[in-house]
Amino acid sequence: MARMVKHDKNSPYEVPEGTELPLYICACGLSKNKPFCDGTHKKTRDENPADTYVYDDAGRTCVIKQY
Amino acid sequence: MARMVKHDKNSPYEVPEGTELPLYICACGLSKNKPFCDGTHKKTRDENPADTYVYDDAGRTCVIKQY
């Protein structure tokens, strides 16, 4: 499973001293609360493992289909 | 500036208790040491702000060009 996600930042997020741990950091790319996980990865669980998707507010589109 | 980055994980990274802070979390999408920043965002600093790119080991390709 995989997806193409648009990134427009060009410097890292800082997690400052004093932040309570553990933390869960977005890895699926789709969180609306980056850098933190907001649970959106659940939407990716039924992706076809061979295909590549793009997500937007309307849902997802398969952009690379493996036959 | 923006780029499309492939994500294939479908669950978050955990930053466990006892991790030393501060931390710098990748936001450009290009780090090879995710979720942590490895400085790769420096490659994005000369992106044309209106365009969208894809990066690979050979460099970058402009995939959406704004005229």
Side-chain angles (χ1 to χ4, degrees):
Chain A
M1 55 192 61
R3 64 216 71 91
M4 298 299 289
V5 178
K6 192 168 184 171
H7 289 255
D8 53 19
K9 282 178 57 68
N10 68 343
S11 61
Y13 301 101
E14 182 179 354
V15 177
E17 280 188 66
T19 302
E20 196 170 338
L21 301 177
L23 287 175
Y24 295 90
I25 301 295
C26 177
C28 73
L30 302 176
S31 174
K32 304 270 195 197
N33 186 35
K34 286 187 185 175
F36 306 110
C37 175
D38 71 354
T40 305
H41 59 270
K42 290 171 191 159
K43 290 185 187 172
T44 71
R45 290 201 175 140
D46 63 345
E47 290 177 352
N48 184 329
D51 298 339
T52 302
Y53 301 85
V54 168
Y55 287 73
D56 64 18
D57 290 339
R60 73 178 171 210
T61 305
C62 180
V63 293
I64 304 175
K65 177 87 187 162
Q66 202 74 42
Y67 292 98
Chain B
M1 57 192 59
R3 63 217 72 90
M4 299 298 290
V5 178
K6 191 168 185 172
H7 290 255
D8 54 19
K9 282 177 56 68
N10 68 343
S11 61
Y13 300 102
E14 182 179 355
V15 177
E17 279 187 65
T19 302
E20 195 170 340
L21 301 177
L23 287 174
Y24 295 90
I25 301 294
C26 177
C28 74
L30 302 175
S31 174
K32 304 269 197 199
N33 186 34
K34 285 187 186 173
F36 306 110
C37 175
D38 71 352
T40 305
H41 59 272
K42 291 171 190 158
K43 289 186 187 171
T44 71
R45 290 201 175 140
D46 65 344
E47 290 178 351
N48 184 328
D51 298 340
T52 302
Y53 302 85
V54 168
Y55 287 73
D56 64 18
D57 290 341
R60 73 177 169 210
T61 304
C62 180
V63 293
I64 304 175
K65 177 86 185 160
Q66 202 75 42
Y67 292 99

